[in-house]
Amino acid sequence: MRLRVTAAASVITLLIALVAVGVAVVAQENPPPDQSTLCFASEALSTAQTSCGSVGVNQVCLGLGSVSADGRDLSETALDLDGLTSVTSTTGSLALIKLQADSPEDQPLRMVLFGDATIANAFEPLEEPYPTISVKNNSGNVLNLRSEPNTDADVIGTMSWSEELPADGRSADGEWLHLDRSPRADGWVFASLVTPAEGSDSTLYTLDNALTQPMQSLTLSSAPGDCSGGLLVQSASTDTAHLQVNGALLSFSSATLLLRAQADQALTVQVVNGSADLRSNGETVSAATGSEIDVALDQLDAAAAPEFKDQYAFASLVGAPLGVLPQGSLVCVAGVDSSAAILYSAPGSDAQTAGEIDASGNGTITGQAITDDGTVWWLVDDAGWISQDSVATAGVCGAVEVVAADVLQQQANVNISRPPQSTANDYSLLTANQSIWQAHTGADNLSGTCISPPIAQCDHLAAITIQPDGSIAWRGQEPLPYTMQSTGSNSFYYNGRSGLNNAKLAFSFTLTSESSWVGTMEYVFDSDPACTHTFYYTADKIQ
């Protein structure tokens, strides 16, 4: 976990406590500089934003220092990516790139190549005419032809029994073939229902590949070190975008990612904000804010399945020029470089302790407040407060919202249950180490003023694992497990952000026997803050 939470007090309780300790709900007049400016001065980042303000889609622009494209120095004039084979940055330099990829036209990807790093184009357009083979319908039935390679797509034609047609492509999973029916509309058919009359489908191009743009498939190489090079990638769209990096397929939306790669070592993908999937060697791994995915490299090519890391060290963000990206879609991240920093249940060191950020962790700052003595306090991951003086920051921290009085009152009216935390850890009904359960979610019970409709949650498997520190890890459908604290005999509780970082979540359950438990899960989504979604769980043990 990015931070360790030891108290089960909810965010609402924390925010209400602001009033009790005397908090000024005014913004900082002089917010602290981001620690990422240790390697790139904030003035330089501002200059880079201005000089590349007019960079077009599928173009690269010199933002700072010395950057070359195909061995030629990049000037203030932006260059088209089409036709470029590589872009190289040097220490203290950066280049800004807009890449359309498969994102919406008005929301292209934004990338920053910085420090000692190179990206090389690995995208190869398909050569026309496409190779073809002839296939025959020997299924004994009339086959449907669809507009896309999936069974939900529209049926746009049929293939009669014994009919023979040319196939000029296949789907990425190999389960569909694309048939050329000129002058009629082309269509997709299940590959297992037709027989090649000549040739092999292995010669066909993959036509449903999301990689269609120069530099959408690329090879990254970066140098190690505190101010080392790398590649920042940001998507502001909710639509999924795809990049192939060093042979591994990266899928993400509404996210900011930091990528680094050293030959014969690893490609690292650190999720600064949002979430991402990385696929390599037939396996896919997901990661959310504050966590990392690594892939071992042979030279610069992915050579293994991805590996998930629960967190990355805050120090790895220090050398990244996060401030050059659009501020509206970035976050402020807090971390410590040595000893752990204490989280409190309210702004002020006389409040109850709520956890800590350890030396290898980090957390997202979601709010700020100033106590009467003038001390600035950060709200970290909606889980606890920490003084500005006890942490370092990276990202865009001057724009962090202050906690306003009307917000305090609004959040105070949200009904989220908050059982007290127990200091005794009783696991007498839990299997040692890990147990697997079939969880039944039940219906969504809405309360409050709701804009959103009820959510249809599916029954799912859940894993419960006893942790060395006395907590338990509960993992269901979410990308990361929830760390839950004891609230009594065989009872446990979590309060914090949801696994997708789009809602406040309160979850509690109690074991009723060695083979069953009951629980309550409550969501308050950021997009609908006056509405509470409540699910009443039951669960049966599988193993």
Side-chain angles (χ1 to χ4, degrees):
M1 298 293 292
R2 298 186 300 279
L3 55 85
R4 185 181 305 280
V5 179
T6 57
S10 80
V11 169
I12 300 155
T13 302
L14 304 180
L15 293 175
I16 296 172
L18 296 176
V19 179
V21 297
V23 178
V25 287
V26 295
Q28 302 178 56
E29 295 182 1
N30 298 297
D34 299 333
Q35 298 297 312
S36 55
T37 60
L38 294 176
C39 300
F40 292 91
S42 57
E43 296 82 0
L45 296 184
S46 177
T47 300
Q49 285 181 316
T50 302
S51 61
C52 288
S54 60
V55 61
V57 177
N58 291 333
Q59 288 189 326
V60 55
C61 171
L62 172 65
L64 182 68
S66 176
V67 178
S68 62
D70 290 350
R72 298 171 295 160
D73 289 341
L74 193 63
S75 65
E76 294 180 0
T77 303
L79 291 181
D80 291 337
L81 294 175
D82 190 13
L84 288 182
T85 59
S86 67
V87 180
T88 299
S89 176
T90 58
T91 301
S93 304
L94 61 86
L96 279 72
I97 300 167
K98 278 187 183 178
L99 183 67
Q100 184 63 65
D102 52 342
S103 297
E105 289 188 7
D106 60 341
Q107 293 179 308
L109 301 182
R110 295 177 181 268
M111 305 196 301
V112 181
L113 181 70
F114 66 92
D116 189 356
T118 296
I119 55 171
N121 180 41
F123 172 74
E124 296 182 1
L126 302 179
E127 295 184 5
E128 297 188 18
Y130 297 169
T132 63
I133 63 171
S134 180
V135 297
K136 188 174 183 179
N137 178 6
N138 290 326
S139 67
N141 298 297
V142 175
L143 302 179
N144 286 330
L145 302 182
R146 298 186 179 272
S147 59
E148 300 290 340
N150 63 75
T151 55
D152 295 328
D154 294 337
V155 175
I156 49 88
T158 58
M159 186 178 186
S160 303
W161 178 72
S162 77
E163 184 177 1
E164 192 171 319
L165 289 172
D168 62 356
R170 60 177 176 169
S171 61
D173 58 15
E175 294 185 358
W176 296 78
L177 292 178
H178 184 263
L179 302 184
D180 182 357
R181 303 170 65 236
S182 299
R184 296 171 294 168
D186 297 346
W188 292 87
V189 66
F190 263 128
S192 61
L193 299 180
V194 296
T195 304
E198 61 175 72
S200 168
D201 63 3
S202 64
T203 64
L204 300 179
Y205 288 151
T206 298
L207 296 186
D208 65 335
N209 195 333
L211 308 173
T212 61
Q213 303 280 339
M215 291 290 182
Q216 194 178 358
S217 178
L218 58 87
T219 299
L220 170 66
S221 175
S222 59
D226 291 340
C227 287
S228 63
L231 182 68
L232 283 168
V233 180
Q234 184 185 77
S235 169
S237 171
T238 56
D239 293 346
T240 301
H242 301 85
L243 280 179
Q244 189 172 55
V245 183
N246 296 54
L249 183 63
L250 188 59
S251 306
F252 56 100
S253 61
S254 303
T256 302
L257 312 174
L258 173 57
L259 282 60
R260 291 187 170 101
Q262 285 89 47
D264 292 324
Q265 295 187 37
L267 165 69
T268 64
V269 178
Q270 297 174 335
V271 183
V272 182
N273 190 32
S275 61
D277 296 336
L278 191 65
R279 183 171 181 80
S280 176
N281 278 36
E283 295 187 27
T284 301
V285 169
S286 301
T289 303
S291 53
E292 176 181 321
I293 312 173
D294 295 350
V295 174
L297 297 179
D298 180 4
Q299 295 295 316
L300 287 170
D301 297 323
E307 294 185 5
F308 173 78
K309 293 180 65 176
D310 185 49
Q311 62 183 13
Y312 53 82
F314 171 77
S316 64
L317 296 181
V318 170
L322 296 170
V324 80
L325 289 169
Q327 296 193 11
S329 53
L330 261 180
V331 294
C332 175
V333 181
V336 293
D337 297 325
S338 54
S339 59
I342 302 299
L343 290 167
Y344 293 91
S345 60
S349 56
D350 55 345
Q352 181 182 359
T353 59
E356 64 180 28
I357 301 179
D358 61 32
S360 61
N362 59 80
T364 301
I365 295 175
T366 52
Q368 65 164 304
I370 305 175
T371 51
D372 288 342
D373 62 2
T375 302
V376 176
W377 289 82
W378 300 117
L379 177 61
V380 183
D381 281 345
D382 285 352
W385 292 85
I386 201 163
S387 71
Q388 173 185 295
D389 297 335
S390 62
V391 291
T393 59
V396 179
C397 299
V400 172
E401 293 185 7
V402 297
V403 181
D406 58 340
V407 174
L408 291 177
Q409 185 59 47
Q410 181 184 27
Q411 295 195 358
N413 292 333
V414 178
N415 179 27
I416 291 282
S417 55
R418 297 176 292 279
Q421 183 180 354
S422 169
T423 57
N425 297 315
D426 179 4
Y427 312 119
S428 58
L429 296 178
L430 268 181
T431 302
N433 298 323
Q434 186 178 81
S435 54
I436 306 297
W437 303 75
Q438 178 67 52
H440 311 283
T441 61
D444 184 2
N445 299 270
L446 299 181
S447 60
T449 304
C450 299
I451 301 173
S452 54
I455 302 170
Q457 290 268 43
C458 298
D459 291 357
H460 56 85
L461 295 179
I464 298 176
T465 308
I466 300 176
Q467 302 295 300
D469 65 357
S471 64
I472 66 166
W474 186 95
R475 183 165 187 174
Q477 303 177 90
E478 297 80 358
L480 295 173
Y482 293 122
T483 298
M484 304 185 71
Q485 307 296 329
S486 173
T487 58
S489 177
N490 290 295
S491 296
F492 306 93
Y493 183 74
Y494 169 84
N495 190 89
R497 299 293 293 175
S498 66
L500 297 178
N501 197 31
N502 62 350
K504 297 172 184 174
L505 172 66
F507 176 39
S508 62
F509 76 88
T510 299
L511 288 129
T512 54
S513 71
E514 292 183 351
S515 59
S516 63
W517 55 260
V518 295
T520 302
M521 185 174 284
E522 298 177 342
Y523 291 92
V524 176
F525 288 93
D526 299 340
S527 58
D528 196 4
C531 179
T532 302
H533 300 255
T534 303
F535 297 88
Y536 298 104
Y537 272 69
T538 60
D540 304 310
K541 188 176 180 182
I542 295 178
Q543 66 182 42

